[in-house]
Amino acid sequence: MNKKQTWVIWGLGVSCLSLPVLAAIKFGSSLGINGIDALKLHQSPYNLAGRKIAIGQVEIGRPGMFGWDKAVSKNRALTPVAVFLRNTPAKSNSGVDPHAYNVAAVMVSKDKAWPGVAPEARLYSSAVGSTKNMGQPEECLSAQHIALQNGGDVRAINFSFGEPLNRDPRPEAILDGKALLTLCIDWSSRVHDVLYAIAGNQGKGGIPIPTDNFNGVNVAFSSRRDGIFNKVDVSNLAGNNPELASRLVGKEFNIDGRTAIGLVAPGSNIPLLNPDGKLNKSTGTSFAAPHVTATVALLQEFADRQLRTKQPHWSINSRHHQVMKAVLMNSADKIQDNGDGLRLGMTRTLIDKQNQDWLASDANKDPKIPLDAQMGAGHLNAFRAYQQFSSGQWQSSESIPAIGWNYSTINANSSKEYALAKPLKQNSFVAITLNWDRLVELEDKNNNQQYDIDENFQDRGLNNLDLYLVKADAKNSDSGNICSSISEIDSTEHIFCPVPATGNYKIRVQFRQQVNEASQPYALAWWTVPAN
């Protein structure tokens, strides 16, 4: 099998651009207000560029490093902190890959005309290698090695590649969360406390593993309409075609109806830097995922600043991957605000491949479906994520402000309630996101606390938590329930619903069913509109 047959990497369609076109593209940059609105965070008064924050990248190949690889000898726009071949230092001029370079440029390019989302972040990159003998064990080894860099403090890791099911050694392999690489991702998320941003699967026979993970976030990609990234691109594989879905369940879609996509980010005709310093345009989820990974770096630089200056309502809980996931998903754009703030100031209406918005989705109508199959929680918006995150951490033991987040634990067969300090405004929307981890443990044969190539993982399952918005005087979940998210199979619950009447409300987190441990860590994020 040659490399093209062995590995499927999406997003390599390239067309060179002439200089006169560049100004037009800059206006439509995926980092600008029509994309994820990250450029605003680079500027005063925010001044966020990912400084001192480590992020990672795992792919088949790796970006070149100036002074180490000839391919980038004339281009200093990209300077990874370290590059590896799996879990060893990379050899000079070996494994350098334009695709990996493009993906890295989305995250950390320092080019003045084409900056990355977090140009000052510290990028660690590992190439798995593309020989026939490499597979999920080597990919897991590479991911673990990246997670352990920077003194074990890497905040997010980007996966712009994946494994086809036909290479999975399990008989009749399906997307049931039990492939070795998927288990590895969920294990590493928890043990190394890192958010994995995974390029969503893009087509029949594509790269579904590890998109059946629970603890990372899978990213679909958007294309522009009238210059704004606001439509799920037609080549994303997900959707409402029952015939297609029934044929591909377990092969390209998760079993049990569990939604794969968490977020949408720009990925169509993205201007990208090549190793030689020239610009090209490419399309695919490969280029959507790094928008999410690098946005984590911006938020984490802000969090570290808050911790360093000992701001109230800030603790190292701000570093947890569950918090980042809840913040990014809860702040995502769904339905454009009319200017009255009732739709939480959202900047765009995202539509799916059938041109339907969130309000027409199954997720909006059925409390057992937390996320839309195509849109997840909505479109990534880095500036709104900053607004969500900067409100700080608030405990259930205190009255909570209109916007905020919390990291806590809950015991089996109990609930926690968060009482909003101010009444909510009639017809305003409420966004609430809850997430927690599937418990995957390493079967550690040699007790070295690290994954080794001949080891496996144990899936201990997912505790079942539910999420409610209830009237302040409600005594239980059955009374005063306004909105709920009660999936039995997902590690995320998500509410986006209008408030029926001005009044006092509270958020309830309920530990419905214990599957593994009796105490469950979780992250919660909320965004509401108080009555004047």
Side-chain angles (χ1 to χ4, degrees), residues 104-430:
V106 173
M107 297 190 276
V108 297
S109 164
K110 287 186 170 138
D111 186 273
K112 284 199 168 76
W114 300 101
V117 176
E120 298 296 331
R122 299 169 57 82
L123 179 66
Y124 295 85
S125 184
S126 175
V128 177
S130 58
T131 66
K132 290 183 206 173
N133 304 322
M134 297 303 148
Q136 294 181 54
E138 290 78 15
E139 290 157 12
C140 179
L141 206 62
S142 303
Q144 172 182 256
H145 187 67
I146 292 298
L148 293 171
Q149 297 307 306
N150 202 51
D153 183 18
V154 174
R155 310 288 170 91
I157 294 176
N158 194 83
F159 261 53
S160 281
F161 83 106
E163 273 282 296
L165 271 164
N166 62 15
R167 277 176 48 97
D168 190 284
R170 297 173 298 158
E172 302 296 317
I174 54 171
L175 287 184
D176 56 2
K178 297 187 188 300
L180 182 98
L181 182 58
T182 302
L183 291 166
C184 175
I185 294 297
D186 281 356
W187 168 77
S188 176
S189 297
R190 180 178 62 84
V191 171
H192 303 123
D193 202 3
V194 60
L195 182 66
Y196 282 86
I198 311 285
N201 186 18
Q202 250 177 255
K204 191 176 174 186
I207 51 170
I209 300 169
T211 60
D212 53 341
N213 72 84
F214 286 77
N215 303 347
V217 59
N218 293 335
V219 188
F221 76 99
S222 62
S223 53
R224 297 176 186 85
R225 285 186 321 153
D226 299 325
I228 300 169
F229 285 96
N230 62 4
K231 177 166 177 147
V232 176
D233 194 276
V234 291
S235 50
N236 288 276
L237 179 71
N240 306 330
N241 182 329
E243 185 189 342
L244 177 71
S246 64
R247 216 170 58 239
L248 295 180
V249 163
K251 297 292 186 188
E252 306 288 338
F253 300 135
N254 289 333
I255 61 165
D256 299 331
R258 190 165 63 87
T259 309
I261 298 301
L263 283 168
V264 179
S268 177
N269 285 322
I270 304 296
L272 298 163
L273 280 175
N274 273 351
D276 61 5
K278 292 178 181 172
L279 205 66
N280 70 27
K281 279 197 301 183
S282 289
T283 290
T285 52
S286 281
F287 311 112
H291 284 85
V292 175
T293 308
T295 296
V296 171
L298 299 181
L299 298 178
Q300 288 296 306
E301 181 188 359
F302 175 76
D304 282 5
R305 188 187 294 169
Q306 297 297 90
L307 294 171
R308 198 168 53 248
T309 54
K310 296 184 168 59
Q311 298 299 314
H313 296 285
W314 283 88
S315 73
I316 56 167
N317 285 339
S318 60
R319 293 181 179 173
H320 287 304
H321 66 280
Q322 300 99 321
V323 171
M324 282 293 90
K325 186 174 173 179
V327 162
L328 290 169
M329 291 174 75
N330 205 60
S331 58
D333 280 323
K334 289 184 183 67
I335 304 287
Q336 186 168 8
D337 192 274
N338 292 329
D340 54 15
L342 295 181
R343 289 175 173 175
L344 313 180
M346 291 184 176
T347 67
R348 84 199 82 195
T349 296
L350 180 66
I351 58 171
D352 67 14
K353 291 190 286 185
Q354 287 74 34
N355 296 316
Q356 292 185 309
D357 64 25
W358 173 272
L359 298 178
S361 71
D362 290 343
N364 186 52
K365 296 165 188 167
D366 187 345
K368 290 193 172 181
I369 303 176
L371 302 172
D372 181 77
Q374 295 185 43
M375 297 185 280
H379 199 286
L380 175 68
N381 186 318
F383 184 72
R384 280 175 52 77
Y386 164 82
Q387 290 176 298
Q388 174 77 70
F389 195 41
S390 62
S391 301
Q393 177 175 12
W394 298 81
Q395 306 292 344
S396 58
S397 56
E398 56 194 329
S399 291
I400 62 170
I403 306 174
W405 56 269
N406 187 33
Y407 179 83
S408 188
T409 57
I410 187 170
N411 295 325
N413 304 312
S414 72
S415 61
K416 282 198 172 182
E417 295 184 336
Y418 295 76
L420 286 146
K422 294 181 179 178
L424 299 186
K425 195 171 187 176
Q426 183 175 16
N427 296 328
S428 68
F429 274 78
V430 171

Side-chain angles (χ1 to χ4, degrees), residues 485-507:
S485 182
I486 52 171
S487 170
E488 297 170 359
I489 54 174
D490 292 281
S491 57
T492 297
E493 300 287 7
H494 181 70
I495 285 172
F496 181 67
C497 74
V499 175
T502 298
N504 291 303
Y505 295 89
K506 59 188 177 184
I507 298 164

